[in-house]
């Protein structure tokens, strides 16, 4: 199968044959009896009866064959630490952590909540859970107490693994008081809290009888040998919470065998990373990219994975590229937000390091705009491949697949549907869109291996949230607008709930943002729909300029605003022109880099911006208020 089209067609028309071939990429303790059980749509079970283990595939099999090969590199520019672990050393650390967990009563099927910074012990904890068949639920370190409490109550963990503090921009971010407050708020009380003391918050509170010290217990279990617990393929590996439209977070439940196979296949066909090579994903383990492409997939492929604590700008804007040179990184994965941050820096930082080891840069997390895509690909002189996927899917839905076929890269598009995803673009009546017609991106089930198997503890919510787009046909809704061009390239145009209805015209905020960013002075932009008595809604733009001196005076702001209007008029027509373009130096985002669109919209409409516990920089909101005069 030499083309992506043929490869994809086989995965849809003959899923049993296709996925049986991919299943050979991992080790099974017991062979599976059936590739797919789809007898209860939309619930799919993959590799039924097969027994395997994520930790075994990620660690043990490589430790047996290549014990001295480098597995994990931990780098912190916050504490100026760098430490490498071979596969043999990683296995020992994981077994020690697994033995600690077992001594605290954790076993197969028990939940372990991990609330930690980007330190090596967090990786040990995740892999230790996988080893003993416990279900981990990682919550982004520093997450607010109320949000953490709802996750504790939903997952009911027997154990919480945490640390005294994380570090951000050279400052300690204490965690323990947030965790204690969350446990106080939660109805469910974990039996134990395992604390990794980094010495960053010497005064942190220790609760007698509940809190135990990681370093002390590690000494007790230095020589522990913990056998792998083999799990049936459909047993859960982890829960990862994602925001919902209601206050109750959705626990995305991931299986074991399907996830392992899916990840192994992506390293071969999408990321082109092999045994002995190095992968650097700049995400955080609190997010799905961190689960899939910092911890599991690179290790399953026998690669070295880099775990980085720090920002892209500290000590300077060359730090990521220095890591690429120092560790001969072959595959790098980051986010469009990070690319836009780097776009504001001197490109000399990028060019002072030897990046010849790097084959590709992959970006995912939010839509990649054409100007940023063009800029970074031009500066790196490398293929920069956009991916589109979700927490729910665990691995890409749309991507170029250089491991199958070299296809041309078009700016601003994540390319083609990935094998296993029967992706179609639907009109709102359930019929299929033609090429170049905007519609809702949907996937005809069964979802491929590794996607969410259900919502933790709530099968009904799984069906009602994701499969109620139409009565007929049964379709998984991505909640995103998309379009497919004549060559089969797909473009994501923003959330279906980020649509502005201007005098009956439906406009995606994403499309307007693209148009605004077409102006050479604009570094970043957020567009929201604001209630308008005449037209129902009007778009309003908040833009970050590359050079603040361009908007130093009221006259300059007005002049640039007019130029931006003209740019939008040229791209989309006057109907899409924002009512205002407000210039700010920073946009309000979560710590994972997602724009707080609903909060921006609420402020623009004079409403309460809502829960802001995950905001990266509170000053961003103040700027918005000043710009709006509220």
């Amino acid at each position: 199968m030499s083309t992506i089209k043929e490869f994809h067609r086989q995965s849809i028309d003959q899923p049993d044959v296709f996925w049986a071939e991919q299943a050979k990429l991992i080790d099974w303790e017991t062979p599976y009896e059936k590739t797919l059980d789809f007898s209860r749509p939309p619930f799919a079970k993959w590799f039924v009866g097969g027994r395997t283990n994520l930790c075994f595939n990620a660690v043990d099999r490589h430790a047996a064959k290549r014990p001295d090969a480098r597995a994990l590199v931990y780098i912190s520019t916050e504490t100026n630490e760098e430490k490498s672990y071979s596969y043999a050393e990683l296995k020992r650390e994981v077994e020690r952590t697994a033995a600690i967990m077992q001594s605290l009563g954790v076993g197969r099927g028990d939940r372990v909540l991990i609330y930690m910074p980007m330190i090596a012990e967090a990786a040990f904890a995740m892999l230790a859970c996988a080893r003993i068949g416990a279900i981990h639920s990682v919550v982004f370190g520093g997450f607010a107490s109320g949000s953490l409490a709802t996750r504790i109550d939903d997952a009911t963990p027997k154990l919480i693994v945490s640390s005294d503090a994380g570090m951000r921009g050279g400052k300690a971010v204490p965690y323990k008081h947030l965790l204690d407050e969350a446990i106080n708020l939660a109805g469910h009380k974990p039996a134990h809290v395992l604390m990794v003391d980094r010495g960053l918050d010497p005064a942190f509170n220790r609760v007698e009888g509940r809190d135990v010290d990681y370093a002390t217990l590690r000494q007790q279990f230095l020589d522990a040998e913990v056998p792998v617990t083999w799990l049936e393929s459909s047993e859960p590996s982890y829960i990862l919470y994602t925001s919902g439209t209601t206050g109750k977070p959705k626990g995305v439940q991931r299986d074991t065998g399907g996830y392992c196979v899916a990840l192994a296949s992506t390293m071969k066909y999408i990321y082109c990373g092999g045994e002995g090579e190095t992968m650097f994903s700049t995400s955080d383990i609190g997010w799905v990219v961190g689960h899939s492409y910092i911890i599991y997939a690179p290790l399953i492929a026998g690669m070295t994975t880099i775990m980085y604590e720090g920002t892209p700008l500290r000590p300077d804007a060359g730090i990521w590229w220095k890591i690429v040179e120092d560790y001969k990184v072959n595959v790098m994965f980051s986010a469009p937000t990070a690319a836009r941050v780097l776009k504001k820096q001197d490109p000399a930082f990028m060019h002072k390091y030897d990046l010849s080891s790097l084959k590709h840069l992959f970006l995912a997390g939010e839509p990649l705009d054409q100007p940023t895509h063009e800029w970074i690909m031009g500066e790196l002189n490398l293929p920069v491949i956009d991916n589109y996927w979700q927490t729910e899917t665990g691995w890409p839905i749309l991507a170029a697949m250089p491991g199958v076929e070299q296809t041309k890269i078009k700016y601003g598009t994540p390319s083609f549907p990935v094998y296993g995803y029967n992706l179609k673009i639907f009109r709102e009546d359930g019929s299929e869109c033609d090429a170049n017609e905007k519609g809702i991106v949907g996937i005809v089930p069964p979802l491929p291996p590794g996607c969410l198997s259900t919502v933790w503890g709530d099968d009904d919510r799984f069906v009602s949230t994701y499969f109620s787009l139409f009565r007929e046909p049964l379709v998984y809704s991505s909640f995103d607008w998309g379009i497919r061009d004549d060559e089969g390239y797909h473009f994501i145009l923003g959330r279906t709930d980020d649509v502005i209805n201007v005098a009956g015209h439906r406009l995606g905020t994403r499309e307007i943002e693209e148009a605004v960013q077409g102006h050479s002075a604009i570094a970043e932009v957020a567009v929201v729909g604001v209630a308008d008595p005449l037209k129902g809604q009007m778009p309003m733009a908040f833009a970050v300029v590359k050079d603040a001196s361009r908007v130093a005076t009221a006259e300059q702001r007005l002049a640039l605003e007019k130029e931006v209007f003209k740019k939008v008029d040229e791209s989309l027509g006057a109907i899409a022109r924002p009512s205002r373009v407000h210039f700010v130096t920073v946009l309000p985002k979560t710590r994972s880099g997602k724009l707080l669109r609903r909060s921006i919209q609420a402020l623009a409409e004079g409403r309460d911006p809502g829960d802001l516990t995950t905001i990266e920089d509170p000053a961003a909101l103040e700027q918005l208020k000043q710009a709006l005069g509220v």
Side-chain angles (χ1 to χ4, degrees):
M1 291 181 291
S2 59
T3 71
I4 282 173
K5 209 171 253 183
E6 291 164 349
F7 198 69
H8 185 265
R9 188 179 299 123
Q10 194 207 26
S11 75
I12 302 306
D13 295 346
Q14 301 172 282
D16 287 16
V17 174
F18 180 88
W19 286 108
E21 189 59 35
Q22 308 318 317
K24 295 174 186 172
L25 296 170
I26 75 161
D27 286 10
W28 297 87
E29 188 264 349
T30 305
Y32 54 91
E33 295 143 22
K34 191 178 184 185
T35 311
L36 168 65
D37 175 0
F38 194 51
S39 58
R40 191 166 72 98
F43 298 90
K45 288 185 174 180
W46 288 95
F47 311 113
V48 182
R51 296 206 314 163
T52 188
N53 182 283
L54 275 170
C55 181
F56 181 86
N57 278 283
V59 181
D60 295 56
R61 62 178 182 160
H62 304 299
K65 193 169 72 167
R66 301 159 50 241
D68 299 327
R70 196 162 57 192
L72 175 70
V73 177
Y74 163 62
I75 301 169
S76 174
T77 51
E78 299 289 351
T79 57
N80 296 314
E81 285 176 271
E82 279 191 37
K83 187 160 187 204
S84 291
Y85 298 85
S86 68
Y87 271 98
E89 288 166 336
L90 179 59
K91 181 170 182 272
R92 300 301 301 121
E93 292 294 352
V94 170
E95 286 188 279
R96 287 161 187 158
T97 307
I100 293 169
M101 288 181 178
Q102 287 180 330
S103 77
L104 298 172
V106 177
R108 180 182 193 150
D110 289 331
R111 273 78 61 212
V112 175
L113 191 140
I114 298 171
Y115 181 67
M116 292 184 85
M118 285 291 285
I119 54 176
E121 289 83 358
F124 307 157
M126 291 171 74
L127 291 161
C129 288
R131 185 172 200 84
I132 63 175
I135 300 166
H136 62 67
S137 183
V138 182
V139 177
F140 182 78
F143 218 55
S145 300
S147 307
L148 183 53
T150 58
R151 287 153 174 76
I152 292 170
D153 277 336
D154 195 67
T156 61
K158 191 172 268 191
L159 172 68
I160 294 180
V161 186
S162 191
S163 175
D164 58 335
M167 290 278 288
R168 184 82 180 167
K171 293 190 183 80
V173 181
Y175 286 2
K176 187 56 165 53
H177 70 290
L178 295 171
L179 177 57
D180 287 343
E181 173 65 12
I183 294 171
N184 286 339
L185 289 171
H188 172 82
K189 309 296 179 192
H192 291 286
V193 173
L194 177 62
M195 289 298 298
V196 177
D197 184 359
R198 304 178 74 191
L200 297 174
D201 180 16
F204 81 83
N205 178 48
R206 289 168 172 82
V207 177
E208 198 63 42
R210 185 194 75 187
D211 297 354
V212 291
D213 180 61
Y214 172 81
T216 306
L217 288 172
R218 181 178 173 276
Q219 281 301 117
Q220 283 178 31
F221 294 105
L222 271 185
D223 302 317
E225 290 181 13
V226 178
V228 162
T229 299
W230 299 103
L231 302 180
E232 198 279 332
S233 179
S234 293
E235 284 186 68
S237 56
Y238 67 77
I239 306 163
L240 183 56
Y241 288 93
T242 183
S243 54
T245 45
T246 66
K248 189 178 187 310
K250 295 190 298 278
V252 166
Q253 180 177 316
R254 196 85 65 213
D255 70 354
T256 297
Y259 185 53
C260 199
V261 170
L263 292 184
S265 75
T266 63
M267 295 316 297
K268 185 175 179 182
Y269 303 122
I270 299 175
Y271 300 107
C272 303
E275 200 170 273
E277 293 190 321
T278 300
M279 183 162 185
F280 176 25
S281 294
T282 69
S283 184
D284 186 286
I285 53 156
W287 317 116
V288 69
V289 170
H291 282 57
S292 294
Y293 295 106
I294 296 176
I295 304 298
Y296 290 114
L299 294 174
I300 288 167
M303 298 177 77
T304 301
T305 186
I306 292 175
M307 199 169 175
Y308 174 68
E309 180 184 46
T311 73
L313 304 179
R314 182 188 158 88
D316 60 44
I319 181 59
W320 285 359
W321 314 113
K322 182 181 187 298
I323 290 169
V324 171
E325 178 181 280
D326 289 352
Y327 289 95
K328 306 276 184 288
V329 171
N330 308 103
V331 185
M332 188 170 172
F333 194 141
S334 194
T337 299
R340 288 191 282 267
V341 165
L342 294 170
K343 191 176 166 188
K344 293 187 216 170
Q345 311 303 313
D346 185 344
F349 284 115
M350 210 178 271
H351 301 305
K352 69 189 263 198
Y353 297 101
D354 176 6
L355 307 182
S356 59
S357 61
L358 201 55
K359 293 186 278 189
H360 304 98
L361 170 65
F362 295 87
L363 297 174
E366 74 265 12
L368 173 61
D369 58 282
Q370 182 170 337
T372 302
H373 197 173
E374 203 167 339
W375 169 79
I376 197 159
M377 198 151 142
E379 291 294 338
L380 287 174
N381 198 24
L382 276 174
V384 175
I385 296 175
D386 187 17
N387 287 182
Y388 163 72
W389 46 300
Q390 301 176 318
T391 301
E392 287 85 351
T393 64
W395 58 287
I397 300 171
L398 292 169
M401 290 160 265
V404 179
E405 179 192 0
Q406 293 289 339
T407 49
K408 72 174 177 192
I409 292 175
K410 274 193 187 184
Y411 296 129
T413 161
S415 299
F416 311 106
V418 172
Y419 52 89
Y421 292 97
N422 190 3
L423 183 142
K424 298 179 188 297
I425 296 180
F426 293 94
R427 299 186 185 100
E428 288 177 84
D429 64 0
S431 59
E432 230 181 296
C433 289
D434 296 323
N436 302 306
E437 183 185 356
K438 180 173 146 184
I440 301 162
V441 177
I443 299 158
V444 179
L447 293 176
C451 291
L452 81 165
S453 46
T454 187
V455 169
W456 172 255
D458 200 341
D459 284 356
D460 291 342
R461 192 173 181 194
F462 172 68
V463 178
S464 65
T465 300
Y466 297 106
F467 292 92
S468 58
L469 185 60
F470 318 115
R471 282 219 173 91
E472 280 291 320
L474 184 67
V475 169
Y476 169 90
S477 175
S478 70
F479 300 101
D480 279 308
W481 294 109
I483 201 163
R484 180 187 79 253
D485 72 10
D486 294 319
E487 295 179 284
Y489 285 82
H490 287 63
F491 295 78
I492 299 299
L493 305 173
R495 299 287 288 174
T496 52
D497 48 10
D498 277 342
V499 170
I500 305 173
N501 196 328
V502 182
H505 297 270
R506 297 172 75 87
L507 301 167
T509 53
R510 186 81 210 112
E511 296 160 286
I512 305 171
E513 285 170 358
E514 284 267 6
V516 173
Q517 261 201 301
H519 192 293
S520 59
I522 305 299
E524 201 174 2
V525 63
V527 171
V528 295
V530 178
D532 182 88
L534 188 64
K535 298 185 175 179
Q537 273 184 312
M538 280 294 285
M540 188 180 283
F542 296 86
V544 177
V545 286
K546 290 175 187 169
D547 179 2
S549 68
R550 282 288 310 259
V551 289
T553 67
E555 288 78 14
Q556 287 175 305
R557 286 196 290 276
L558 207 58
L560 185 55
E561 186 177 42
K562 280 184 177 162
E563 288 176 32
V564 171
F565 287 161
K566 188 164 178 280
K567 199 81 192 166
V568 176
D569 289 357
E570 286 166 3
S571 299
L572 298 171
I575 187 69
R577 184 194 299 167
S579 59
R580 286 299 314 273
V581 181
H582 294 289
F583 299 107
V584 291
T585 60
V586 62
L587 293 170
K589 291 176 184 172
T590 66
R591 286 186 280 269
S592 69
K594 281 213 166 38
L595 272 170
L596 288 161
R597 291 180 186 280
R598 285 192 181 80
S599 301
I600 298 171
Q601 184 187 44
L603 280 174
E605 293 183 342
R607 295 182 286 108
D608 176 7
D611 178 18
L612 299 169
T613 49
T614 61
I615 193 165
E616 168 80 44
D617 183 0
L621 279 185
E622 287 310 310
Q623 278 203 37
L624 245 66
K625 287 177 181 173
Q626 283 173 15
L628 291 161
V630 296

